Amino acid sequence: QDIYIRKAGKYTLGVQYRGTNTTDVKVRLYGTQVCCDTIVNVSKNIYPTDECFMHYKIEGIELKEGPFTIGVEMNTPPVMGKIKGFCLYMES
């Protein structure tokens, strides 16, 4: 999903995720911004649980005004996975 950052600053990216955790499950939250000569790539591995939604976040992301791409990437055998919602907010 692409988001437009209207004000440069430090941000936190988060997601609520629930899913099967078996052998070879690789799930990660990521964000990418390409702006001028700067590339920002952030990611965090998610270790899911099928019991409840867990909140995963990446803090301290320095972003400039412009597009920012976020998502959840999965490289797994067939498993159950649910995303409840993403959040992106400016830190104070």
Side-chain angles (χ1 to χ4, degrees):
Q1 179 175 5
D2 291 326
I3 299 169
Y4 192 84
I5 303 299
R6 298 192 188 283
K7 184 176 179 183
K10 197 175 282 194
Y11 286 80
T12 294
L13 169 64
V15 69
Q16 290 186 37
Y17 185 87
R18 174 184 177 180
T20 306
N21 186 6
T22 62
T23 305
D24 294 328
V25 169
K26 293 178 182 80
V27 182
R28 75 181 181 99
L29 169 64
Y30 71 89
T32 302
Q33 184 180 56
V34 179
C35 188
C36 305
D37 293 335
T38 305
I39 299 173
V40 175
N41 282 313
V42 295
S43 69
K44 180 176 187 130
N45 289 333
I46 291 175
Y47 301 100
T49 174
D50 58 0
E51 296 172 11
C52 62
F53 280 94
M54 299 292 292
H55 186 79
Y56 301 89
K57 62 184 176 179
I58 305 170
E59 299 175 308
I61 308 166
E62 289 286 344
L63 297 175
K64 296 182 179 178
E65 185 177 324
F68 181 53
T69 302
I70 64 169
V72 170
E73 179 181 64
M74 295 178 227
N75 183 8
T76 70
V79 295
M80 182 276 295
K82 294 181 180 182
I83 297 171
K84 196 171 189 178
F86 288 96
C87 66
L88 179 70
Y89 56 90
M90 183 177 242
E91 298 175 9
S92 44

